[in-house]
């Protein structure tokens, strides 16, 4: 059985990627199972979807724990533990990353023995969560890497899954897909089916006897306020708003009032400061600033421009 | 007949469409909503005749469903979890009306705490209400079961509403290959709805669902409903055979997998049962005589069929994705009551609680369940009920509790 | 819109089609309204009953309805009406029944459901423009369980759950106003003591398509504490004192169909009922009596 997992951010077409690959494999004569993992499907938040394909009926279900291929549409997720990109990767796994960074650098950075392949993504200042074709690009690369899907099968699957979208959008996706598909020609058939878990060598689960704990401990109650500030929603951000202190007119903190997340703090001098640990990058501040003092740059190229401010409000 | 990739929700909607449901009272709830969205889309765009109305709650939705069925049209509806419980009063009520219709429930754990992910406490809370219950393990089964459910519900000997149950996420949002029967063949199989004498017409006044005074008439009407549910056992066999003849797919009241020469068995319902099949295959490769029993019908309870399968086996591991507080697994207790005092029944009936709120059950865990069962068979001692929960999970909870400012006295457990 | 069918009291039917033999209390003001309404509506009706006193109209195998009837639950009778109406429409559209087999859909509910538990289902039915008649018999309390206060109980009334010296502390709300906020096809208040006004309003309601509400103050000998024979008299006093305004909502306007120009003091109504006895004995509770009177006066000042 082939087990393939797609990771990306909400808005990058990860669910569509799993459906395109699923449909293409199904049309190629495979039994298929594909599913997105809902829960955090908000724009910018990490999400994933998965595909299983086999010649036999598929009885396995749920999240893929031992992937043959992990395809990542947004390289900023790789090192984010909450995204779970690296979960279950072993030496036989192929890790495919859409990235401006080369495979060798990734190998050193991640200290992995598995095959790492990069789909070159240029340093771009575009908003990566507004690039739904990233998913299609990954699906197309994966299609070539299975070695099981002819180009026309891929195109047919894209047409089927994007049916209802504007012709232009479909054409653009197909164009990108073909480019990505062809670029992976040297890796055709590189994905191998992982070994099935055998009874003789399984690691028994470390079941525990659930201890009794009184209601004051075991009720689902949070005994404090605003603990949510521990959640770094800044990791969702694909576009970073930057306030130009020269342009800022020290108004009645319009940006701060309108910020849906309330993460623009205004100093006593009237100077607004963005809490990048929690800024989701919605850019409401940018649209509202009357003096146009706020600009946005892609998070992928922002690292060198601004530094994340440490979170000031601890629970 | 075409074969396409379809989610469990999509398969449920196709079932309603192929059964030519006239009326769909609806209310959105995750993870069911895709079903009513799909039907609304078909109806709005003229691809499916029928009428869909969104009510103000599931309580109202089930009232409207029952009332429309009692007026003489074919009704389909769908809900999940809290919605099923919000409508619980009406589940009991409309079942007593003896007006047939089909309700799909997409299983989801119940609050509190709130979750979106599946287990079977919602559907098992409805086990005593008079609705029959068909439990599915694949998307194909969802579609087929809706068709079978209409036949069962409308059978003259039965006349009870039927719930078709599927697991949230693992089926509802998961695409699998599904054969979609031709509309004509499906319509021919399901047939036209005959409301018989339970319907409203100007020329034939009827008063339905009235009160009774005293326990005697009450007992009569209630027990007749129970007998009708029992009639559904035979009716189901007939309908399922006819379905197999027409469509080539076999959906027995109790599915068995590699049971014939098995000495020990997994026993469970729902879509995680397909994962148990994988474990059975691996264990068989290692020489174990093990199989899987999966009841599709839970109401009526196919007790005799289960006893026949279990006769002479050494042990059964019942895996419950539900929890009856202060007692344990519902399937386990029901199975025990069906086997007690019967000849040649397995001596070991081990209880495992797992998969609550969508928690996965891994292949390793199935292996460990089998190992535990075998040990019990050898020793002759039934093991204590076991929650599938690991040390790591407990450590994770402690981390979460730290954030929630839960204070432990001296950091120790009591 | 014509009132032709019911010009004089003599136009009211003298033969009754609503079956006798129900277990309702002797002197029930609600039952009086139901039989008056039924005679105007006729047998080609299906009543959808919410839990309340009238649940027990039909006890197997006895029903007073010559037409059809369905019991639902306390919260969801309008949803039951939705299901029945939609099903009949589907059957008619598909030609599966003759038009002559069609039925008028009527919800029958007490105030406990109408003013409280059933509001959500009612609101939904109004919003969806459901073609039905909604009849509320308002006996100002949970009558079937022994007259506990409901959201329709008047200020100061003693009920099984307001037994203190001041009676019920809340104020009766207006289900009429709640309904007309949803812009129904028609809404009216009626009372069994005014049968001609009632008949005209039912007849008028039948000429509209959409949600139609009839709410009837229903003097309740058992719950209110008066002799059954005084039931109609109490109803008349409710009108003459201005406690129960008779009005209707048509084409977006509210019209009072009977304005008591020389209103009797509300005391005349209150002192006849055991539920208000504590306002007079052992001593008069002037502030409460004044407050009740002032509220009535204020209402009619706005009308006049």
């Amino acid at each position: 059985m082939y087990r393939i997992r797609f990771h990306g951010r909400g808005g990058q077409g990860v669910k569509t990627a799993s459906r395109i690959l699923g449909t293409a494999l199904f049309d190629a004569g495979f039994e298929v199972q594909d599913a997105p993992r809902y829960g955090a499907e908000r724009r910018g938040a990490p999400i994933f979807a998965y595909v299983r394909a086999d010649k036999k009926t598929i009885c396995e279900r749920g999240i893929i724990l031992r992937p043959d291929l992990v395809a990542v549409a947004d390289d900023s997720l790789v090192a984010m533990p909450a995204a779970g990109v690296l979960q279950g990767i072993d030496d036989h796994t192929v890790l495919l990353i859409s990235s401006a960074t080369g495979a060798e650098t990734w190998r050193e950075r991640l200290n992995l023995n598995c095959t790492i392949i990069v789909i070159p993504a240029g340093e771009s200042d575009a908003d990566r969560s507004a690039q739904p074709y990233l998913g299609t690009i990954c699906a197309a690369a994966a299609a070539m890497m299975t070695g099981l899907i002819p180009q026309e099968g891929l195109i047919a699957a894209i047409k089927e899954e994007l049916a209802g979208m504007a012709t232009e959008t479909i054409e653009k996706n197909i164009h990108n897909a073909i480019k990505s598909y062809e670029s992976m020609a040297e890796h055709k058939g590189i994905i191998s089916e992982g070994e099935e878990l055998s009874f003789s060598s399984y690691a028994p689960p470390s079941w525990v006897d659930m201890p009794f704990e009184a209601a004051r401990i075991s009720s689902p109650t949070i005994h404090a306020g605003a603990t949510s500030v521990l959640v770094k929603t800044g990791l969702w951000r694909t576009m970073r708003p930057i306030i130009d202190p020269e342009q800022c007119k020290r108004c009645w903190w319009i940006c701060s009032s309108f910020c849906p997340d309330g993460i623009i703090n205004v100093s006593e001098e009237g100077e607004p400061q963005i809490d990048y640990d929690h800024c989701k990058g919605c850019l409401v501040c940018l649209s509202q600033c009357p003096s146009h003092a706020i600009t946005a740059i892609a998070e992928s190229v922002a690292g060198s421009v601004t530094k994340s401010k440490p979170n000031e409000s601890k629970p | 007949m075409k074969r396409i990739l379809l989610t469990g929700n999509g398969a449920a909607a196709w079932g309603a469409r192929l059964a030519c449901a006239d009326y769909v009272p609806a209310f959105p709830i995750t993870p069911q909503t895709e079903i009513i969205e799909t039907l609304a889309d078909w109806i709005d765009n003229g691809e499916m005749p029928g009428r869909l109305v969104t009510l103000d709650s599931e309580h109202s939705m089930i009232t409207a469903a029952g009332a429309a069925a009692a007026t003489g049209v074919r009704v389909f509806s769908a809900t999940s979890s809290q919605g099923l419980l919000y409508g619980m009063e009406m589940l009991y009520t409309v079942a007593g009306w003896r007006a047939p219709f089909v309700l799909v429930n997409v299983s989801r754990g119940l609050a509190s705490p709130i979750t979106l992910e599946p287990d079977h406490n919602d559907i098992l809370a409805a086990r005593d209400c008079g609705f029959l219950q068909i439990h599915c393990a694949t998307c194909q089964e969802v579609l087929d079961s809706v068709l079978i459910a209409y036949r069962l519900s409308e059978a003259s000997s039965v006349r009870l509403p039927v719930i078709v149950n599927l697991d949230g996420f693992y089926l509802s949002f998961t695409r699998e290959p599904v054969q979609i029967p031709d509309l004509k063949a499906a319509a021919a199989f399901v047939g036209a709805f005959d409301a018989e004498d339970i319907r409203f017409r100007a020329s034939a006044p009827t008063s339905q669902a009235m009160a009774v005074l005293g326990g005697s008439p009450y007992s009569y009407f209630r027990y007749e409903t129970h007998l009708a549910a029992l009639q559904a056992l035979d009716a189901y066999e007939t309908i399922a055979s006819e379905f197999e003849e027409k469509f080539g797919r076999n959906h027995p009241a109790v599915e068995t997998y590699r049971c014939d020469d098995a000495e020990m068995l997994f026993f469970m319902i729902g879509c995680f049962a397909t994962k148990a099949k994988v474990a059975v295959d691996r264990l068989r490769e290692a020489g174990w005589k093990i199989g899987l029993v999966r009841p599709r019908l839970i109401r009526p309870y196919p007790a005799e069929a289960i006893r026949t399968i279990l006769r002479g086996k050494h042990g059964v591991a019942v895996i419950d994705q539900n929890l009856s507080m202060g007692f344990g697994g519902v399937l386990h207790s029901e199975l025990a009551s069906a086997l007690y005092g019967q000849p040649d029944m397995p001596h070991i009936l081990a209880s495992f609680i797992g998969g609550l709120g969508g928690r996965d059950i891994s292949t390793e865990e199935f292996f460990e369940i089998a190992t535990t069962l075998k040990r019990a068979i050898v020793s002759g001692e039934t093991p204590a009920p076991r929650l599938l929960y690991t040390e790591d999970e407990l450590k994770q909870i402690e981390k979460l509790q730290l954030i929630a400012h839960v204070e432990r006295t001296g950091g120790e457990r009591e | 819109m014509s009132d032709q069918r019911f010009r004089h009291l003599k136009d009211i039917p003298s033969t009754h089609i609503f079956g006798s033999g129900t277990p309702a209390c002797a002197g029930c003001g609600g039952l009086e309204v139901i039989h008056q309404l039924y005679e105007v509506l006729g047998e080609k009706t299906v009543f959808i009953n919410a839990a309340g006193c009238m649940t027990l109209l039909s006890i197997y195998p006895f029903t007073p309805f010559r037409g059809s009837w369905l019991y639902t639950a306390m919260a969801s009778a309008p949803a039951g009406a939705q299901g029945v109406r939609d099903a009949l429409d589907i059957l008619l559209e598909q030609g599966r029944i003759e038009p002559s087999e069609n039925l008028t859909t009527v919800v029958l509910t007490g105030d406990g459901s109408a003013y409280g538990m059933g509001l959500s289902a009612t609101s939904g039915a109004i919003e969806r423009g459901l073609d039905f008649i909604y009849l509320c018999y308002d006996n100002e309390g949970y009558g079937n369980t022994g007259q506990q206060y409901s959201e329709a109980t008047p200020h100061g009334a003693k009920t099984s759950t307001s037994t203190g010296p001041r009676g019920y502390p809340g104020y009766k709300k207006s289900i009429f106003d709640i309904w007309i906020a949803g812009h129904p096809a028609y809404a009216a208040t009626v009372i069994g003591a005014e049968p001609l006004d009632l008949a005209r309003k039912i007849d008028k309601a039948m000429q509209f398509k959409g949600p139609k509400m009839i709410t009837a103050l229903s003097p309740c000998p058992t719950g209110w504490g008066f002799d059954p024979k005084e039931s109609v008299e109490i109803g008349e006093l409710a009108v003459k004192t201005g406690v129960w305004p008779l009005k209707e909502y048509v084409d977006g306007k509210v019209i009072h169909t009977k304005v008591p120009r020389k209103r009797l003091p509300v005391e005349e109504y209150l002192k006849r009922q055991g539920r208000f006895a504590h306002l007079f004995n052992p001593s008069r509770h002037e502030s409460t009596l004044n407050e009740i009177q002032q509220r009535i006066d204020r209402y009619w000042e706005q009308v006049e």
Side-chain angles (χ1 to χ4, degrees), chain C residues 260-279:
Chain C
R261 299 282 168 201
K262 286 182 182 165
R263 287 194 308 280
L264 295 176
V266 71
E267 275 190 55
E268 300 299 317
Y269 172 71
L270 302 178
K271 69 185 182 193
R272 299 281 295 272
Q273 306 172 43
R275 61 177 175 159
F276 295 113
H278 58 290
L279 299 182

Side-chain angles (χ1 to χ4, degrees), chain B residues 159-322:
Chain B
R159 307 296 287 191
L160 285 170
V162 179
I163 295 176
V164 173
N165 199 67
L166 61 141
D167 296 84
F169 287 75
Y170 296 95
L171 284 185
S172 72
F173 299 149
T174 300
R175 289 204 313 173
E176 293 178 342
V178 175
Q179 292 265 16
I180 300 182
D182 294 329
L183 180 61
K184 261 191 184 167
F189 170 75
V190 178
F193 177 41
D194 177 3
E196 298 185 356
D197 286 336
I198 302 178
R199 79 275 185 278
F200 294 116
R201 300 288 180 273
S203 63
T206 50
S207 283
Q208 296 192 41
M210 63 270 307
V212 292
L213 287 181
S216 174
Y218 183 82
S219 303
Y220 170 80
F221 289 117
R222 297 294 287 177
Y223 208 78
E224 281 299 327
T225 308
H226 167 62
L227 293 177
L230 291 178
Q231 290 289 316
L233 284 169
D234 283 347
Y236 183 89
E237 288 306 327
T238 311
I239 295 161
S241 314
E242 197 187 312
F243 186 90
E244 189 181 5
E245 241 168 67
K246 286 214 160 118
F247 301 103
R249 290 186 295 278
N250 180 23
H251 298 298
V254 185
E255 185 196 15
T256 53
Y257 184 70
R258 305 185 82 164
C259 283
D260 287 350
D261 65 336
E263 291 167 357
M264 33 197 286
L265 299 167
F266 294 124
F267 185 99
M268 63 194 298
I269 57 174
C271 75
F272 274 10
T274 66
K275 300 179 69 148
K277 287 184 182 177
V278 176
V280 165
D281 288 345
R282 297 292 94 78
L283 285 157
R284 284 267 173 183
E285 283 162 17
W288 287 45
K289 289 189 170 176
I290 191 163
L292 163 75
V293 179
R294 177 179 68 92
R296 281 172 34 78
L297 270 185
I298 282 295
R299 285 294 178 273
Y301 193 77
E304 193 46 52
I306 290 171
R307 285 194 284 264
T308 305
I309 296 159
L310 265 54
R311 192 155 283 134
K313 308 299 186 198
H314 299 163
V316 181
V318 183
I319 302 164
D320 271 290
Q321 286 172 254
N322 66 78

Side-chain angles (χ1 to χ4, degrees), chain B residues 23 51 56 63 203 206 208 211, chain C residues 60 69 76 86 93 101 120:
Chain B
Y23 187 50
R51 184 183 288 205
D56 57 284
T63 307
S203 63
T206 50
Q208 296 192 41
Chain C
Y60 192 81
W69 183 84
S76 60
D86 285 337
E93 274 166 27
E101 293 284 21
S120 163

